[in-house]
Amino acid sequence: MISPRGRLDSFLAKTLNIPKKAVRELLKAERVTVDGKVALEMALQIGPFSQIYLGDTALRADTPRYLMLNKPVGVVSATKDKEHKTVLDLIPEALRAGLHIVGRLDLNTSGLVLLSNDSRWSESMMQPGAHVPKEYWVTLEHPLTEDYIAAFERGFYFETEGITTLPARLAILGEREARVELCEGKYHQIKRMFGRFQNPVVALHRHRIGALMLDPGLAPGQWRPLTDDEKLACLKGAKPPNDFRPIAENP
């Protein structure tokens, strides 16, 4: 497997299946360009989106892609699945290569999913300690009470993982409707938190990641590219988990 990052000479040797001596001759003959400039240095550092050409032949010409998708219920957050349609199945085949999912949702959860082929961008949101907030709209089987708010702020101990969840914000929007903001994503976390009150989640929808909200113009199953501002918005709003500024009462 060819590494997406590293030295130009190693990339050329592996891609063209030639010895380093032959690579040196190609560079000396000024036949290789990187990002539109003639490459002369064997040790030139390249990245996954470096535009590398040998003459008129593209050896690497991928470009970063950042997509927003409104995931429907019943679609699995995976690149392939034998039983269910996947989020990648909703993306045109020409754009799928190299895409990975940034923040998965359960099969029966709908809403904002991000996809990209830029691992550094996605890792900046998903790495431990990033604390990028994610907002969910929740519909429950039974009525809510004010007790939920303090309990979510305190966190819940999950015996299976041996951890206590980070503080979460809960706003009661209706008798059986709430908005929850988390800065982590444990397995079935929201359903398990409401489960402590014996209150099953009927519907769960992710509305926001960081400062990026799901485009209301996207119907379930639709997608669009992110703008440059939206790519940055995903990373905004990260804060210490004990910062309890109130969240608005209305979506």
Side-chain angles (χ1 to χ4, degrees):
M1 181 177 179
I2 299 175
S3 174
R5 305 178 192 278
R7 289 171 52 122
L8 176 62
D9 58 349
S10 296
F11 169 80
L12 292 173
K14 291 179 180 178
T15 300
L16 301 173
N17 194 26
I18 60 176
K20 292 286 183 71
K21 181 179 179 181
V23 170
R24 186 175 290 106
E25 292 301 318
L26 288 176
L27 297 181
K28 185 178 179 180
E30 300 186 356
R31 294 187 59 196
V32 178
T33 61
V34 176
D35 296 332
K37 298 180 180 179
V38 173
L40 300 173
E41 298 179 17
M42 298 276 283
L44 180 68
Q45 293 296 306
I46 60 171
F49 304 117
S50 296
Q51 305 291 297
I52 305 173
Y53 281 77
L54 175 60
D56 294 329
T57 302
L59 302 181
R60 175 179 288 177
D62 201 5
T63 55
R65 281 161 280 145
Y66 310 90
L67 309 179
M68 168 195 296
L69 169 73
N70 186 357
K71 184 186 103 57
V73 169
V75 172
V76 66
S77 292
T79 55
K80 59 177 67 175
D81 190 271
K82 294 181 179 179
E83 297 182 21
H84 302 96
K85 179 178 287 188
T86 73
V87 292
L88 276 192
D89 291 330
L90 302 175
I91 305 299
E93 189 171 356
L95 296 178
R96 293 179 195 171
L99 286 181
H100 57 265
I101 302 158
V102 187
R104 299 171 184 270
L105 291 177
D106 297 336
L107 178 68
N108 294 317
T109 300
S110 62
L112 177 59
V113 166
L114 302 175
L115 300 105
S116 180
N117 61 344
D118 184 348
S119 59
R120 285 192 173 180
W121 178 75
S122 54
E123 287 168 3
S124 65
M125 284 183 283
M126 297 298 112
Q127 64 184 344
H131 299 312
V132 174
K134 302 169 189 68
E135 182 181 281
Y136 298 81
W137 295 345
V138 190
T139 302
L140 298 149
E141 185 172 312
H142 306 302
L144 291 148
T145 66
E146 295 293 326
D147 296 342
Y148 286 63
I149 297 174
F152 272 61
E153 288 183 354
R154 287 194 302 268
F156 296 87
Y157 180 72
F158 286 172
E159 186 174 356
T160 303
E161 295 94 331
I163 56 96
T164 298
T165 61
L166 294 175
R169 298 171 178 80
L170 182 145
I172 297 175
L173 305 177
E175 186 181 33
R176 293 178 173 82
E177 296 177 341
R179 187 161 82 250
V180 175
E181 184 184 87
L182 303 175
C183 57
E184 59 183 342
K186 304 302 181 185
Y187 178 71
H188 289 316
Q189 181 170 344
I190 290 180
K191 294 177 182 178
R192 293 164 72 187
M193 292 166 83
F194 282 108
R196 295 297 175 89
F197 293 90
Q198 304 300 310
N199 198 350
V201 171
V202 175
L204 185 59
H205 178 85
R206 183 160 66 196
H207 176 65
R208 175 172 58 84
I209 296 176
L212 176 67
M213 293 189 180
L214 177 63
D215 186 338
L218 290 179
Q222 291 186 331
W223 65 276
R224 68 165 176 80
L226 295 181
T227 66
D228 288 340
D229 287 343
E230 287 173 336
K231 285 184 285 185
L232 296 176
C234 300
L235 304 173
K236 291 180 180 178
K239 56 179 76 72
N242 59 351
D243 177 6
F244 287 118
R245 286 171 289 181
I247 58 178
E249 291 298 320
N250 295 306

